[in-house]
Amino acid sequence: MKNITSIYIIVLTLLLTFPHILNSQKKAATSSADIIIYGGTSAAIIAAVEAKKSGKSVLVVSPDIHLGGLTSGGLGWTDTGDKSVIGGLSREFYHRVFMHYNSIEAWKWQPKEAYGNKGQGTRAMDGESRTMWIFEPSVAERIFEDFVEEYKIQVDRDEWLNRENGVILKDGKIVSITTLSGKTYTGKMFLDATYEGDLMAAAGISYHVGREASSVYDEEWNGVQTGVLHHKHWFQSDISPYVIPGDPSSGVLPRISTESPGEKHSGDNKIQAYCFRTCMTNHEENRLPFPKPDNYDPLQYELLARSLATGRKDFFEKFDGIPNYKTDTNNHGPLSSDNIGMNYDYPEASYERRKEIIKEHEDYQKGFYWFVANDPRIPKDIQTEMQKWGLAKDEFTDNGNWPHQIYVREARRMIGQHVMTENELLKKRPTPNSVGMGSYKMDSHNAQRYIKADGFVQNEGDIGVDTKGSYAISYGSLLPKKEECTNLLVPVCVSSSHIAFGSIRMEPVFMILGQSAAAAAILAIDNNVAVQDVDYSILKNTLEKKGQILKK
């Protein structure tokens, strides 16, 4: 009898408390903040810092586990352009890099005095401005984590937006977003700080994928650019695209399109190639040999062997040095780490399909390095040098020493209140309402590899056009059209043409725009207005007080 009474009491207690348990779980599944930021990129974290510094509550909903995007994902050879226009919290990041490397403890593998202090068009370590522009991936990630810790920023990681029905809008405003795990986030303002623009797209904002025809925005460098060969990433000799050279009946080699490249200056759905910015080292104590992918196929790299057989000797040109005998290795040459033509459906693909594309890029690039280090057709001098290199043991340690972020050079681009084009970048037209500046050349990587009319292979889409100095970026390029949404800002997939985005897409600029977007969101909250109705004169004054460079 006593046991039955005890069981009865336990059951009754559970029945009474069960609704409270459900309510607490329901509450836990919904989080609110003044500003909800979707993404884990450098722009996302800098925007969150700005929000906290300005006294607003903020929540970062990050699909990524590692924070910082490409800045912490291998791109340590910073595309600075004119570093004098990098201000605000973006400059603060590079100051923190400087402070890290100003310590003797930072130089584990390499004496500081042995590092050449070479940067991209500038000194790597600038003592006058107390900034450093070149760094190891792990150092960048630590700085972003420090930001999060210092400013007590809540970051919910591995949270993926439900792109089908996870964005709720009412009266032209985003009310909430829900992730695949079932968590819901409500806020007054939202920022899409992803490379892909998933929140923007799910909210029904207009966007573009691919290259516009040059006639759309009256541009010279947009659209198909057959015959334009600006860098060294093209076949400088006549190379046959066929399995048996000169024999079309033998079939076409992998990664070559058999379709027409399109009429020059016409638009298409093609985007510039992706790759991983690999962190290599030739310091034996910290070196791991290049791994051989399980599905390795040397035929994938036959074009490289044929190109090198012509006498090309520039293979190692983009093994750019970062501290501690490491590199930020970028693509270089006609067949390199850029996986041309294999990313067209990435921007709008499902999460599952994107994982497949990323894995295919990883296997391709690992196979590429293995091929150079091991295939007997590689010239002996290049192969001997390549065998000295490998992946750095102390980078990306939870991902097989491979970068956790693929280089999404472009994906979706919003069609917003103001579209940035080459005309603004080249100063042919004025830019209204600056919220930051860019200065890097308009840089597009190859978009396709095709067979020319003469029967030889060639690449297309690689463009590099000097902007002849810095240029302003319009506040309107961060904003959707007012009729589409009034409480969303987009500091990464900004409103711009393909070729203009080729310059804007640099990591320092994303951080600049992240801060400016957060500052604008705060003003919209404080004045209870749409982001499109923020008083620009007040925003301008606010940004300048925060050290942002808006004109030069």
Side-chain angles (χ1 to χ4, degrees):
M1 187 68 178
K2 186 177 180 181
N3 288 339
I4 293 173
T5 302
S6 299
I7 292 170
Y8 175 81
I9 292 170
I10 292 169
V11 171
L12 183 61
T13 302
L14 287 173
L15 287 172
L16 290 171
T17 58
F18 190 66
H20 298 289
I21 294 170
L22 284 178
N23 284 335
S24 66
Q25 288 178 340
K26 187 175 181 181
K27 288 178 183 176
T30 301
S31 301
S32 296
D34 292 323
I35 301 173
I36 304 296
I37 300 170
Y38 183 60
T41 61
S42 60
I45 303 308
I46 292 300
V49 172
E50 173 59 32
K52 290 296 290 242
K53 283 171 68 75
S54 299
K56 297 300 180 187
S57 59
V58 64
L59 215 159
V60 177
V61 183
S62 173
D64 308 308
I65 295 172
H66 297 275
L67 303 180
L70 256 296
T71 298
S72 61
L75 206 166
W77 181 260
T78 305
D79 302 307
T80 50
D82 179 359
K83 64 184 181 182
S84 72
V85 301
I86 300 171
L89 289 171
S90 184
R91 180 166 285 262
E92 166 69 15
F93 171 84
Y94 297 103
H95 170 65
R96 291 187 178 216
V97 173
F98 173 88
M99 294 303 294
H100 172 82
Y101 286 108
N102 212 30
S103 166
I104 190 130
E105 289 80 14
W107 300 89
K108 179 179 180 180
W109 304 113
Q110 180 181 33
K112 183 178 178 181
E113 59 273 14
Y115 179 65
N117 203 29
K118 179 184 177 184
Q120 189 170 172
T122 183
R123 289 174 293 173
M125 180 175 274
D126 187 340
E128 283 183 30
S129 65
R130 295 176 66 77
T131 51
M132 189 165 178
W133 307 97
I134 311 298
F135 46 84
E136 297 157 277
S138 53
V139 170
E141 185 171 1
R142 182 66 259 164
I143 291 171
F144 288 117
E145 293 290 352
D146 288 345
F147 275 133
V148 168
E149 184 178 344
E150 288 173 30
Y151 291 97
K152 297 180 173 57
I153 298 167
Q154 181 180 340
V155 181
D156 286 6
R157 306 176 198 232
D158 199 22
E159 291 292 340
W160 298 78
L161 179 68
N162 182 336
R163 291 158 57 189
E164 291 185 11
N165 51 26
V167 180
I168 304 300
L169 290 96
K170 184 178 180 181
D171 299 328
K173 289 184 177 181
I174 299 175
V175 176
S176 67
I177 64 173
T178 300
T179 59
L180 293 178
S181 70
K183 293 181 181 178
T184 296
Y185 301 88
T186 64
K188 298 172 183 175
M189 291 287 154
F190 291 80
L191 270 64
D192 185 339
T194 63
Y195 291 121
E196 295 84 5
D198 283 342
L199 172 55
M200 170 189 73
I205 308 304
S206 300
Y207 64 86
H208 188 82
V209 175
R211 300 182 289 187
E212 300 93 347
S214 61
S215 59
V216 173
Y217 297 118
D218 190 24
E219 296 175 296
E220 179 181 358
W221 301 110
N222 210 343
V224 175
Q225 297 286 324
T226 44
V228 179
L229 305 168
H230 280 178
H231 295 114
K232 299 178 182 177
H233 312 315
W234 52 283
F235 293 94
Q236 298 175 353
S237 302
D238 290 340
I239 305 292
S240 176
Y242 303 113
V243 175
I244 298 174
D247 182 5
S249 67
S250 65
V252 177
L253 288 171
R255 302 175 194 279
I256 300 173
S257 172
T258 57
E259 297 179 0
S260 165
E263 184 180 348
K264 188 170 183 179
H265 291 138
S266 64
D268 58 22
N269 69 335
K270 298 176 174 63
I271 55 177
Q272 52 180 312
Y274 296 173
C275 70
F276 290 90
R277 299 288 285 251
T278 40
C279 186
M280 299 183 183
T281 184
N282 59 1
H283 187 64
E284 192 59 33
E285 192 176 349
N286 194 35
R287 184 183 75 89
L288 285 171
F290 294 116
K292 182 181 182 181
D294 293 337
N295 58 359
Y296 173 73
D297 174 13
L299 193 64
Q300 302 292 322
Y301 316 102
E302 174 65 25
L303 283 175
L304 175 64
R306 295 181 187 183
S307 176
L308 293 177
T310 67
R312 285 191 72 146
K313 296 296 182 183
D314 57 348
F315 182 84
F316 298 99
E317 190 164 314
K318 289 303 293 176
F319 280 45
D320 293 315
I322 61 177
N324 285 309
Y325 296 123
K326 299 176 189 176
T327 71
D328 165 1
T329 306
N330 198 5
N331 83 293
H332 184 78
L335 191 139
S336 186
S337 57
D338 268 8
N339 195 0
I340 300 170
M342 302 301 287
N343 61 345
Y344 298 155
D345 59 338
Y346 179 90
E348 298 183 286
S350 67
Y351 293 136
E352 292 75 18
R353 175 63 184 134
R354 282 182 187 165
K355 287 178 183 177
E356 293 173 357
I357 294 169
I358 291 169
K359 181 62 165 63
E360 195 279 332
H361 277 66
E362 179 180 338
D363 288 346
Y364 165 78
Q365 199 163 334
K366 285 179 175 178
F368 173 79
Y369 296 143
W370 174 270
F371 182 82
V372 178
N374 294 278
D375 195 278
R377 288 169 293 175
I378 298 298
K380 191 66 176 176
D381 57 340
I382 292 175
Q383 188 160 89
T384 299
E385 177 63 22
M386 189 63 169
Q387 289 171 351
K388 298 175 184 177
W389 293 91
L391 302 179
K393 288 181 184 178
D394 59 354
E395 298 289 348
F396 310 116
T397 54
D398 65 346
N399 197 43
N401 309 102
W402 192 256
H404 46 70
Q405 175 65 60
I406 193 170
Y407 196 170
V408 179
R409 288 190 170 93
E410 67 176 326
R412 297 183 181 98
R413 300 185 310 281
M414 180 169 62
I415 303 174
Q417 186 168 287
H418 178 89
V419 181
M420 294 291 296
T421 73
E422 71 175 45
N423 297 295
E424 285 82 16
L425 275 60
L426 296 172
K427 278 75 72 179
K428 294 180 179 179
R429 288 201 298 252
T431 301
N433 300 340
S434 172
V435 288
M437 301 195 77
S439 62
Y440 203 79
K441 64 186 176 182
M442 291 186 287
D443 182 39
S444 173
H445 287 232
N446 281 305
Q448 60 182 325
R449 180 176 290 128
Y450 69 103
I451 301 172
K452 297 185 295 177
D454 62 7
F456 296 111
V457 66
Q458 194 50 275
N459 296 335
E460 183 275 323
D462 191 83
I463 302 293
V465 178
D466 191 351
T467 61
K468 297 181 172 61
S470 56
Y471 57 86
I473 301 171
S474 174
Y475 177 49
S477 69
L478 310 185
L479 305 176
K481 296 170 184 175
K482 191 173 182 180
E483 61 268 24
E484 293 184 340
C485 187
T486 60
N487 69 336
L488 173 69
L489 297 106
V490 183
V492 177
C493 294
V494 298
S495 177
S496 70
S497 69
H498 156 77
I499 195 59
F501 193 75
S503 173
I504 295 169
R505 65 180 178 84
M506 305 306 159
E507 290 289 300
V509 178
F510 286 155
M511 286 190 265
I512 290 168
L513 298 181
Q515 181 178 9
S516 292
I522 291 161
L523 288 176
I525 292 171
D526 289 345
N527 293 282
N528 194 28
V529 297
V531 291
Q532 294 85 357
D533 294 332
V534 168
D535 187 324
Y536 175 70
S537 63
I538 298 175
L539 177 59
K540 177 177 181 290
N541 185 54
T542 299
L543 295 177
E544 288 178 337
K545 284 181 178 178
K546 294 175 181 293
Q548 292 279 57
I549 311 298
L550 305 184
K551 65 178 182 178
K552 190 175 180 184

